[in-house]
Structures are given as C-alpha cells and as structure tokens.
Amino acid sequence: MRNILLFVLIVSSHCVLAQIESQPISKFNGFDSAKEILLDVRTPQEYKEGSIHGSININWLSNDFDEKVTKLDKTKKVYVFCKKGGRSLKSQARLVELGFNNVVDLQGGYDAYSSKD
C-alpha cells in the first residue's frame, strides 16, 4: 500500500511540474523557433509527402525515438503533431516522461492542418 501511495505521489507531482496541453491544429498559427520546437512524429515517408514549414521529423514508430528527442532542448515549448492525432498524443506523454516541461499536442494532425483554409 505504501508503494502505491508513493507511486501516485511521484506521478502527481510530475504532472504538476510539466505543462501538458492540447489545442486544435487548425488554431496553430506558427511558432518561434528561438523558443519553441515543432515536432512532426510521422514516418519519414509521410513527412516527405508534406509537412508544416520548420518542423523537425522524428518518427514515433522508430526504435530510436527516445534517443533522438532527448537531443532536443527541453527548456523550449514543444508542439507535437502526427497524421491524425494518435501518435502525437502518445509521444506527448513520452516527452513529458523524458523531462520536457511544456508539450502541446496539436489535435487533428497534419490532415486537419493541410485541409484548413
């Protein structure tokens, strides 16, 4: 019982320290690369077919995802997106586990972004 309470306390405190948020990708109006990172977690093939200008492509499905993202600046706000939203949500949680403090999931993914007016 004591271990369970300790685990809950650790997870709760980590969630309080990290800022996790979501916003519809249709409301995304760009980013400041000096203070923010735009992370595209789709496959390289999907990325080649089109992406948001200035994004960094690190494939969520690759075996070296953790290794590659840990090289990014953890002090910057990270906007993360994929094709429709599933992989970005998973990668958002993983980024927080790896010590990123401000991660925004861009809901709807590249499909929604590319179809907006």
Side-chain angles (χ1 to χ4, degrees), residues 14-15 20-21 23-24 28 31 41 47 61 65-66 71 74 79 85-87 98 108 112 116:
H14 186 65
C15 290
I20 300 173
E21 62 181 277
Q23 76 177 51
F28 180 73
F31 69 108
V41 296
Y47 185 79
L61 301 173
F65 178 82
D66 287 2
K71 294 177 183 176
K74 292 181 181 180
Y79 293 98
R87 289 174 281 179
L98 292 171
K116 76 178 189 175

Side-chain angles (χ1 to χ4, degrees), residues 6-53:
L6 181 60
F7 175 76
V8 169
L9 179 63
I10 290 170
V11 170
S12 298
S13 64
H14 186 65
C15 290
V16 169
L17 295 174
Q19 184 178 359
I20 300 173
E21 62 181 277
S22 296
Q23 76 177 51
I25 200 166
S26 59
K27 293 185 179 180
F28 180 73
N29 293 321
F31 69 108
D32 179 354
S33 61
K35 298 184 274 185
E36 301 167 322
I37 297 169
L38 180 58
L39 181 60
D40 183 335
V41 296
R42 298 174 303 150
T43 65
Q45 181 61 38
E46 290 171 313
Y47 185 79
K48 287 178 188 173
E49 292 171 2
S51 190
I52 301 172
H53 180 72

